[in-house]
Amino acid sequence: VNIAAGSSENGKGGALSLLGGSGSVLLASAKNLRSGGVTVQTGAGVESTGAMAIRTGAADEGGAGAIEVAVGVSGSGIGAALSLRGSGIGVTSEREIVMSSGSSSAFQISTARSVDDSGAVEIRSGDSEHGNAGSVSVRAGGKKGFANTRGASIDLDGKTGAVSIQSSDSGG
């Protein structure tokens, strides 16, 4: 089944909306020996492309819905990779990726618990061929304008392993 809005060479093409009533909307490929992929993307453009937003609606009463991005588990027990990246012009300039929690919400990056070995967590900046490499900054929030409050602390805990903080030389 192909559903398409009209295109235009000199301006905006037609709009396409897929709306559900109070029920769910599912966009998926069917289960098969090898399921097909699902791609959601904006079209290419000469001057610019459209933005993409994935969000839940606001709730007048009660809680808003959550967004979950997850990969499936393989029969071998090894999950697939999940990538989130900004685009660049060639290999020179990637755009920033900003991840933040909502107001007064926690933000956590972790690997899952495991019976065997758990995965590592690595936060690093990329190497630079010609310019300066980016910095890595870990900073706790501070208080703003309220008496009898304190800023947050930063804890480094290697449990039974080591905690290592080191600087790299400039290679020159």
Side-chain angles (χ1 to χ4, degrees):
V1 173
N2 187 4
I3 301 173
S7 62
S8 171
E9 291 191 21
N10 298 336
K12 291 185 175 182
L16 177 65
S17 296
L18 178 62
L19 300 172
S22 59
S24 297
V25 175
L26 173 66
L27 176 63
S29 59
K31 181 176 180 176
N32 206 327
L33 182 61
R34 291 189 177 152
S35 71
V38 175
T39 302
V40 179
Q41 70 179 43
T42 63
V46 174
E47 293 179 6
S48 65
T49 65
M52 181 175 293
I54 299 174
R55 58 180 159 236
T56 61
D60 292 336
E61 297 178 15
I67 295 177
E68 177 180 354
V69 178
V71 296
V73 176
S74 304
S76 64
I78 300 171
L82 174 65
S83 297
L84 179 65
R85 62 183 171 164
S87 66
I89 303 168
V91 294
T92 58
S93 173
E94 297 257 338
R95 295 296 301 230
E96 70 181 353
I97 295 175
V98 177
M99 294 187 289
S100 64
S101 65
S103 175
S104 301
S105 298
F107 183 81
Q108 177 179 342
I109 299 174
S110 67
T111 59
R113 288 192 173 149
S114 176
V115 174
D116 297 320
D117 298 334
S118 71
V121 174
E122 179 178 27
I123 299 174
R124 66 181 183 100
S125 64
D127 296 330
S128 175
E129 223 169 285
H130 301 291
N132 297 323
S135 298
V136 173
S137 186
V138 178
R139 182 174 57 188
K143 66 177 185 172
K144 292 200 179 204
F146 292 101
N148 300 322
T149 61
R150 62 182 176 86
S153 61
I154 296 176
D155 297 322
L156 300 177
D157 185 355
K159 298 287 182 191
T160 58
V163 173
S164 173
I165 300 174
Q166 67 183 45
S167 176
S168 176
D169 65 24
S170 63

